[in-house]
Amino acid sequence: MRGVLRPHHVAFSVSNIEQTENWYAKVFGWSVIKKFENSDFKMSLVGSLDDFNIELFQSKKESKPLPRYRNEVMSDVAVIGTKHLCLEVTSLEEITSDLLGKDVRLVSDPDEAFYGGRFAFIRDPDGNLIELCELEK
């Protein structure tokens, strides 16, 4: 394949874009890079993690919350589609301690990952799932 492929962003739909931008700023220290708005929706690009970002969408029409059956990590595995964003961390213990100090609740206790290392899950204000993984060294 010609050219370079590398991740740029993942996109999440949210109910309140400003609230979610503030959450990512508070929790991870990320800032808004760009904003866009038209008559149908608002968008913002939030980041930056070595040029990897999160694109947020807020519909100006009626939004639907994440369905209940998608709220459980293991039951959602049976539903086709994107599951979560995974962020690699250098110390799972340190970051989970920092997050708990910012009133971020762990969705799962730290556990061993099948691919090596350990992981835990959190959710953003709209329930979008974020995995934190510490890889084996």
Side-chain angles (χ1 to χ4, degrees), residues 10 12 66 69-70 72-86 121-123 127-131:
V10 63
F12 292 145
L66 191 68
Y69 67 87
R70 301 233 21 217
E72 294 300 321
V73 175
M74 292 313 295
S75 65
D76 190 46
V77 172
V79 178
I80 303 297
T82 303
K83 301 294 115 192
H84 61 267
L85 165 66
C86 182
F121 284 96
I122 62 172
R123 289 190 184 277
N128 293 304
L129 198 57
I130 301 168
E131 178 183 1

Side-chain angles (χ1 to χ4, degrees), residues 28-74:
F28 296 120
W30 298 346
S31 59
V32 174
I33 298 166
K34 284 190 175 184
K35 290 180 83 89
F36 173 81
E37 185 172 348
N38 66 20
S39 60
D40 296 323
F41 58 88
K42 296 179 183 181
M43 291 173 47
S44 67
L45 196 62
V46 178
S48 156
L49 265 180
D50 295 327
D51 297 326
F52 181 79
N53 308 287
I54 296 177
E55 187 174 38
L56 302 173
F57 291 94
Q58 178 186 339
S59 174
K60 291 186 177 178
K61 299 174 184 169
E62 183 180 354
S63 294
K64 298 176 185 175
L66 191 68
R68 280 185 183 255
Y69 67 87
R70 301 233 21 217
N71 281 333
E72 294 300 321
V73 175
M74 292 313 295

